[in-house]
Amino acid sequence: MADPIPNKDDPNKDHLKETPKPYVADHMPDRFELFLLGEGERKVTVTPDTRIPSSAIFVFQKEDHTLGNMLRSRLLSSPHVLFSAYKVPHPLIASFELRVQTDGEITPTQAVVQASKDIVNDLSVLGRRFTEEWELFKAAKGGQGQ
């Protein structure tokens, strides 16, 4: 009966050689390709979803989970948005698809624009509050003689 475990001393050990695996970094895009738009490339494209009323699919180029999750979350807090979800088609490609369905009182595009404005406003408030707290922290540290 043949031994099912290959023998390393076997003169015909070519079958034991491992095929070289491609290095993942060989397939990764250059870093600048993750955030700079190419010639003629649009940041956002909108495609109406014909299967579901008042819905659209937005494709964001050169963005990732950070913006996708913020938009999804903000959209779901709107009373006019019935559904909002995003997906990243491939982890090495910096883009995501956002699907939005509204109740018909506003369009999906209007909902995304309003959510974007709300996020920008929230981030400016966060930046201002952080700066205030940082200045207070530095003043308190300076008063301790350190």
Side-chain angles (χ1 to χ4, degrees):
M1 179 171 201
D3 191 290
I5 301 172
N7 184 352
K8 291 183 180 178
D9 298 325
D10 185 3
N12 299 325
K13 55 185 170 185
D14 288 340
H15 63 281
L16 296 177
K17 292 182 183 176
E18 289 187 31
T19 57
K21 294 186 170 110
Y23 185 58
V24 173
D26 292 341
H27 303 292
M28 290 182 65
D30 292 327
R31 286 213 181 261
F32 69 88
E33 291 179 6
L34 297 175
F35 58 88
L36 292 179
L37 291 173
E39 187 71 32
E41 190 175 21
R42 298 186 63 183
K43 187 70 167 181
V44 182
T45 56
V46 183
T47 307
D49 189 350
T50 57
R51 298 175 296 160
I52 302 169
S54 298
S55 67
I57 300 169
F58 300 82
V59 178
F60 289 78
Q61 298 297 328
K62 311 300 183 191
E63 295 294 345
D64 60 6
H65 288 284
T66 305
L67 181 61
N69 195 37
M70 284 194 297
L71 280 171
R72 178 201 60 83
S73 178
R74 178 57 69 157
L75 284 163
L76 289 175
S77 69
S78 170
H80 298 294
V81 175
L82 303 176
F83 178 82
S84 176
Y86 79 96
K87 71 175 182 175
V88 175
H90 193 279
L92 294 180
I93 299 172
S95 72
F96 69 88
E97 297 174 10
L98 177 71
R99 184 181 298 265
V100 179
Q101 181 184 7
T102 63
D103 61 4
E105 288 189 39
I106 63 172
T107 66
T109 302
Q110 291 170 326
V112 170
V113 168
Q114 186 57 50
S116 299
K117 288 178 181 177
D118 292 346
I119 289 169
V120 168
N121 185 43
D122 289 349
L123 291 175
S124 67
V125 169
L126 176 67
R128 190 170 49 253
R129 287 185 182 167
F130 179 83
T131 303
E132 291 169 2
E133 291 297 323
W134 179 250
E135 294 300 324
L136 288 172
F137 175 76
K138 287 193 316 188
K141 274 292 221 192
Q144 295 177 356
Q146 292 181 3

